[in-house]
Amino acid sequence: EAGITDPFPFNAYYGGPRAPEVAEQGYALQVGGLIDKKESWTLERLRALPQVSQVTRHICVEGWSAIGKWGGVRFSDFLARIGADTTAKYVGFKCGDDYYTSIDMATALHPQTQLTLRFADQILPAKYGFPMKLRMPTKLGYKNTKHIMAITAANANPGGYWEDQGYNWFGGS
């Protein structure tokens, strides 16, 4: 924790003042595709799941990095809870800022991949992705999607905002 970057930088495909304000009241994460339990998840329900914390480095494709403390639900545990087909090739994400991306299932199941609900032991602020972001220390920043509204397991690659513009789809750090 001594290496945490303070302040942690803001970065997105839009300027900071344009970070979406997703309302906690009425928020419901949608899950679909190759998933058995296709039911929505409120933040209250997500926060009631077992939580983990990690201090990890965020590496940006632009060449900078920063260390932060993130807390949330281990993504592999969430995928098991919703009955995701872990033989599916991809997991796709749609976000409240019109961003979208996808990852391979092996990354989704990695023990450090996290549905992040907290930053620095506080509710995740909008600039870092409220109501939740996907935090993956094994991927470059553009794969760590923010403001997640929907998650889908699929065998067809759902693509991604930057990936569809020529960035590397795997995006490993």
Side-chain angles (χ1 to χ4, degrees):
E1 290 192 28
I4 290 175
T5 307
D6 187 22
F8 193 87
F10 168 81
N11 197 309
Y13 76 112
Y14 50 81
R18 291 187 38 221
E21 294 289 335
V22 177
E24 182 166 349
Q25 183 77 6
Y27 172 80
L29 173 67
Q30 303 300 309
V31 296
L34 301 173
I35 292 173
D36 290 337
K37 300 174 186 167
K38 294 178 178 135
E39 53 194 34
S40 61
W41 284 76
T42 64
L43 284 172
E44 179 181 13
R45 191 170 172 208
L46 287 162
R47 290 174 182 149
L49 294 175
Q51 305 287 300
V52 295
S53 180
Q54 60 185 348
V55 175
T56 55
R57 182 177 303 276
H58 173 95
I59 300 173
C60 183
V61 70
E62 296 169 341
W64 58 267
S65 69
I67 298 171
K69 184 176 183 182
W70 311 93
V73 177
R74 186 171 284 119
F75 194 42
S76 59
D77 293 346
F78 182 72
L79 291 174
R81 186 171 294 268
I82 63 174
D85 179 353
T86 57
T87 67
K89 293 180 181 179
Y90 306 101
V91 180
F93 303 88
K94 293 192 184 221
C95 306
D97 58 1
D98 295 326
Y99 194 80
Y100 61 100
T101 196
S102 56
I103 60 173
D104 59 294
M105 185 59 78
T107 298
L109 298 174
H110 188 280
Q112 285 183 297
T113 300
Q114 178 187 88
L115 281 179
T116 301
L117 302 165
R118 300 180 69 77
F119 174 75
D121 296 321
Q122 303 294 317
I123 298 294
L124 189 68
K127 68 181 179 177
Y128 300 141
F130 183 86
M132 98 180 70
K133 75 176 283 156
L134 188 69
R135 180 70 196 117
M136 301 171 289
T138 61
K139 297 290 185 185
L140 293 171
Y142 66 91
K143 299 299 280 186
N144 287 254
T145 188
K146 304 179 214 174
H147 317 288
I148 298 172
M149 305 299 284
I151 298 171
T152 306
N155 282 317
N157 188 335
Y161 177 84
W162 287 114
E163 298 86 330
D164 292 350
Q165 296 179 56
Y167 278 60
N168 179 281
W169 177 83
F170 189 71
S173 60

